[in-house]
Amino acid sequence: MTTALSENTLFGMGNPLLDISAVVDKDFLDKFGLKLNDQILAEEHHKALFEEIVQKKKVEYHAGGSTQNSVKIAQWMIQEPHKVATFFGCIGTDRFGEILKKKAEEAHVDAHYYEQNEEPTGTCAACITGDNRSLVANLAAANCYKKEKHLDLDSNWELVKKAKVYYIAGFFLTVSPESILKVAKHASENNKIFCMNLSAPFISQFFKEPLMKVMPYVDILFGNETEAATFAKELGFETDDIAEIAKKAQNLPKENTKRQRMVVFTQGKDDTVATVGEKVTRFPVLDIDQNDIVDTNGAGDAFVGGFLSSLVKEQAVEECIRAGHYSANVIIRRVGCTFPEKPDFQ
């Protein structure tokens, strides 16, 4: 059954970043102390990295930021009506900020940015080596999001209230945990669906306290195998079995008992693991020839986007995962989190 969707049904809030992606070699990674397939926040010694990467011969600029990618993909999968997806985040009053606004508009996402001029629009260097990618995020403006200056404004909070499904990547825990809590509590008190992502190992390691403050309000928890393992270690689960980790995460304390928490862990080319009721089920991903993989950056965001597009239509978890696998499969064949004009998903 598919209900006709209305505008602003899906709400996302996070760090809007402009991705600067380029193919680099191992020496480049070593020079800046980067690991394959990692995501980190930029530090002082990464300044030169941003100066160097823009000089690379095949540098590409794409609108990015984990949550923004996911809501864009969800909107792309939904197609009509436009603006089913809403996005909040902070940008600078500069050229990169203008690009992000234009890209959100082209994707038919209803983006409401908090704009400030103290910090420039955030960027993320995506250093691609073969089918691996190492991400270094320079949050800048994204880090300046203020609850009282934006989320709390009546016109903005009205948009939050219109939504039925909420998605915030764990990355935003480093910026405005109080904004996340306000949205999460609203969802919980009104029996709506609040989704979160573990996002990166460093979130569980260094932002465990804000993460665990939000956890009781989380209806659907996403993550990949590495993030799941780190989360389990930080919480003392004493297991590295992904199905067991999913089960233990599902059973963490929860505020709204009307909805059982669902945990969904992707594992690259291996099966996606999800809690379906009391059991943990494995869902094989779509086959893809290694040679067709252009860039795995954005695969996780795309999976969530596809999943959310079916979730807002109130479809079963199996359908949501099928949609997630489809969109991830499309995205990894392209550079950046970009997509063809229309999905070919039945």
Side-chain angles (χ1 to χ4, degrees):
M1 82 123 210
T2 308
T3 36
L5 291 174
S6 46
E7 287 188 1
N8 310 111
T9 306
L10 172 64
F11 176 84
M13 178 167 62
N15 300 331
L17 305 173
L18 190 74
D19 285 346
I20 305 170
S21 59
V23 173
V24 301
D25 52 20
K26 187 153 175 346
D27 292 345
F28 184 89
L29 295 184
D30 293 343
K31 177 177 178 180
F32 295 106
L34 305 180
K35 294 189 212 132
L36 289 174
N37 276 341
D38 202 11
Q39 306 100 311
I40 61 167
L41 292 176
E43 291 171 45
E44 203 47 45
H45 67 275
H46 292 116
K47 277 232 164 86
L49 180 154
F50 285 86
E51 286 156 20
E52 266 187 51
I53 198 163
V54 296
Q55 305 303 324
K56 298 273 172 205
K57 53 181 180 292
K58 275 192 180 161
V59 63
E60 296 201 21
Y61 295 87
H62 297 285
S66 184
T67 306
Q68 186 168 241
N69 284 342
S70 294
V71 299
K72 253 183 207 169
I73 299 273
Q75 181 64 55
W76 171 71
M77 288 284 283
I78 290 162
Q79 289 285 310
E80 301 279 334
H82 291 165
K83 296 188 173 180
V84 168
T86 317
F87 179 76
F88 286 7
C90 182
I91 58 175
T93 48
D94 50 24
R95 188 171 71 89
F96 283 177
E98 288 306 312
I99 294 175
L100 287 186
K101 282 201 269 195
K102 188 167 145 290
K103 295 286 184 193
E105 206 175 314
E106 284 169 8
H108 308 299
V109 167
D110 194 13
H112 293 257
Y113 297 112
Y114 169 48
E115 298 180 44
Q116 49 73 61
N117 51 19
E118 314 263 293
E119 285 281 343
T121 296
T123 49
C124 178
C127 311
I128 320 275
T129 48
D131 57 5
N132 288 304
R133 53 98 185 105
S134 195
L135 307 178
V136 185
N138 178 24
L139 297 184
N143 206 24
C144 300
Y145 189 84
K146 298 277 182 290
K147 174 176 166 288
E148 54 289 349
K149 294 266 180 73
H150 194 262
L151 186 68
D152 291 345
L153 303 183
D154 288 346
S155 58
N156 289 332
W157 188 248
E158 280 308 311
L159 289 169
V160 175
K161 293 200 312 206
K162 274 178 84 173
K164 294 194 174 94
V165 174
Y166 301 84
Y167 174 66
I168 301 177
F171 289 124
F172 202 57
L173 286 163
T174 76
V175 174
S176 185
E178 56 288 347
S179 295
I180 300 178
L181 272 172
K182 184 176 180 178
V183 171
K185 285 178 176 169
H186 166 79
S188 178
E189 285 158 12
N190 293 278
N191 194 28
K192 300 192 216 175
I193 305 173
F194 182 81
C195 315
M196 190 141 203
N197 203 314
L198 293 174
S199 291
F202 81 84
I203 298 292
S204 295
Q205 289 167 316
F206 308 114
F207 295 88
K208 180 171 133 190
E209 198 186 338
L211 173 65
M212 295 319 288
K213 262 200 183 124
V214 180
M215 198 56 73
Y217 305 101
V218 176
D219 295 299
I220 303 179
L221 180 67
F222 295 102
N224 66 21
E225 73 277 40
T226 326
E227 294 149 11
T230 306
F231 181 69
K233 204 166 122 209
E234 289 299 321
L235 266 76
F237 284 176
E238 293 185 346
T239 177
D240 45 19
D241 177 278
I242 194 139
E244 247 177 273
I245 295 171
K247 197 74 206 141
K248 291 196 170 192
Q250 179 185 39
N251 292 331
L252 289 168
K254 190 161 187 308
E255 277 295 316
N256 176 11
T257 51
K258 293 195 199 90
R259 290 183 187 276
Q260 184 180 30
R261 180 179 297 121
M262 185 192 299
V263 179
V264 184
F265 290 145
T266 57
Q267 309 186 82
K269 62 182 187 316
D270 296 324
D271 295 358
T272 294
V273 169
T275 59
V276 183
E278 294 307 313
K279 0 185 257 298
V280 178
T281 312
R282 290 174 182 269
F283 298 88
V285 302
L286 294 164
D287 280 337
I288 185 167
D289 186 328
Q290 208 54 30
N291 299 323
D292 291 335
I293 299 177
V294 172
D295 171 7
T296 55
N297 184 24
D301 296 339
F303 171 82
V304 171
F307 188 103
L308 294 171
S309 72
S310 285
L311 186 67
V312 293
K313 295 175 190 162
E314 298 174 14
Q315 291 175 342
V317 54
E318 293 77 5
E319 266 308 292
C320 296
I321 288 174
R322 196 170 76 84
H325 285 165
Y326 167 79
S327 43
N329 186 276
V330 170
I331 272 30
I332 57 180
R333 298 166 188 269
R334 307 166 68 90
V335 173
C337 201
T338 60
F339 33 83
E341 194 189 339
K342 283 192 160 65
D344 167 29
F345 179 70
Q346 266 78 44

